[in-house]
Amino acid sequence: MSLLQQMNADEFRTLLQYTEKYPTLGEELVKALTEKIVVIHLTIAEYISLCDALGIYCAPALSQVFQAFKSKP
Protein backbone atom coordinates (compact mmCIF):
# COMPACT_ATOMS: atom_id res chain seq x y z
CA MET A 1 0.00 0.00 0.00
CA SER A 2 1.48 3.36 -1.01
CA LEU A 3 2.07 6.20 1.44
CA LEU A 4 -0.71 8.12 -0.28
CA GLN A 5 -3.16 5.28 0.40
CA GLN A 6 -2.05 5.19 4.04
CA MET A 7 -3.04 8.82 4.67
CA ASN A 8 -6.23 9.55 6.59
CA ALA A 9 -8.92 11.83 5.16
CA ASP A 10 -7.74 14.96 6.99
CA GLU A 11 -4.13 14.48 5.86
CA PHE A 12 -5.27 13.86 2.29
CA ARG A 13 -7.43 16.99 2.30
CA THR A 14 -4.49 19.02 3.64
CA LEU A 15 -2.26 17.55 0.92
CA LEU A 16 -4.77 18.61 -1.75
CA GLN A 17 -4.78 22.16 -0.38
CA TYR A 18 -0.96 22.18 -0.45
CA THR A 19 -1.03 20.94 -4.06
CA GLU A 20 -3.39 23.75 -5.04
CA LYS A 21 -1.18 26.34 -3.34
CA TYR A 22 2.13 24.91 -4.65
CA PRO A 23 1.31 22.96 -7.83
CA THR A 24 4.83 21.86 -8.75
CA LEU A 25 5.90 20.83 -5.25
CA GLY A 26 2.52 19.25 -4.61
CA GLU A 27 2.64 17.23 -7.82
CA GLU A 28 6.13 15.95 -7.02
CA LEU A 29 5.08 15.07 -3.48
CA VAL A 30 1.97 13.20 -4.64
CA LYS A 31 4.14 11.26 -7.10
CA ALA A 32 6.59 10.32 -4.34
CA LEU A 33 3.79 9.32 -1.97
CA THR A 34 2.24 7.18 -4.71
CA GLU A 35 5.50 5.38 -5.53
CA LYS A 36 6.78 4.70 -2.00
CA ILE A 37 5.40 2.48 0.73
CA VAL A 38 7.44 3.55 3.77
CA VAL A 39 8.42 7.04 4.93
CA ILE A 40 12.11 6.14 5.23
CA HIS A 41 12.26 5.88 1.43
CA LEU A 42 11.42 9.58 0.98
CA THR A 43 14.27 11.90 0.09
CA ILE A 44 15.01 14.76 2.46
CA ALA A 45 13.35 17.19 0.04
CA GLU A 46 10.23 15.00 -0.12
CA TYR A 47 10.21 14.67 3.67
CA ILE A 48 10.43 18.44 4.10
CA SER A 49 7.62 18.96 1.57
CA LEU A 50 5.46 16.38 3.35
CA CYS A 51 6.05 18.03 6.72
CA ASP A 52 5.29 21.43 5.21
CA ALA A 53 2.12 20.13 3.58
CA LEU A 54 0.87 18.57 6.82
CA GLY A 55 1.97 21.46 9.03
CA ILE A 56 4.54 19.42 10.92
CA TYR A 57 7.60 21.24 12.23
CA CYS A 58 10.53 19.08 11.08
CA ALA A 59 13.59 21.24 11.83
CA PRO A 60 14.67 19.42 15.03
CA ALA A 61 14.77 16.04 13.31
CA LEU A 62 16.71 17.40 10.34
CA SER A 63 19.10 19.22 12.63
CA GLN A 64 19.91 15.96 14.41
CA VAL A 65 20.62 14.24 11.09
CA PHE A 66 22.94 17.02 9.95
CA GLN A 67 24.70 17.10 13.33
CA ALA A 68 25.47 13.39 13.02
CA PHE A 69 27.51 14.05 9.90
CA LYS A 70 29.46 17.06 11.13
CA SER A 71 33.21 16.59 11.21
CA LYS A 72 34.77 16.51 14.63
CA PRO A 73 38.21 18.16 15.10
Side-chain angles (χ1 to χ4, degrees):
M1 181 184 302
S2 74
L3 289 172
L4 190 64
Q5 293 170 316
Q6 295 176 47
M7 296 179 94
N8 66 40
D10 290 334
E11 292 167 339
F12 186 73
R13 192 173 15 261
T14 303
L15 177 63
L16 290 178
Q17 292 170 346
Y18 179 82
T19 301
E20 289 175 7
K21 189 173 182 179
Y22 306 103
T24 303
L25 290 173
E27 187 177 313
E28 291 173 4
L29 181 56
V30 168
K31 182 176 184 243
L33 294 173
T34 303
E35 295 173 346
K36 298 172 180 167
I37 59 172
V38 291
V39 175
I40 196 72
H41 291 159
L42 294 174
T43 65
I44 291 177
E46 293 164 346
Y47 176 76
I48 292 170
S49 291
L50 178 59
C51 288
D52 188 35
L54 298 179
I56 299 169
Y57 185 65
C58 64
L62 291 174
S63 177
Q64 289 177 341
V65 170
F66 291 125
Q67 290 296 326
F69 291 98
K70 268 189 158 179
S71 297
K72 306 279 187 217

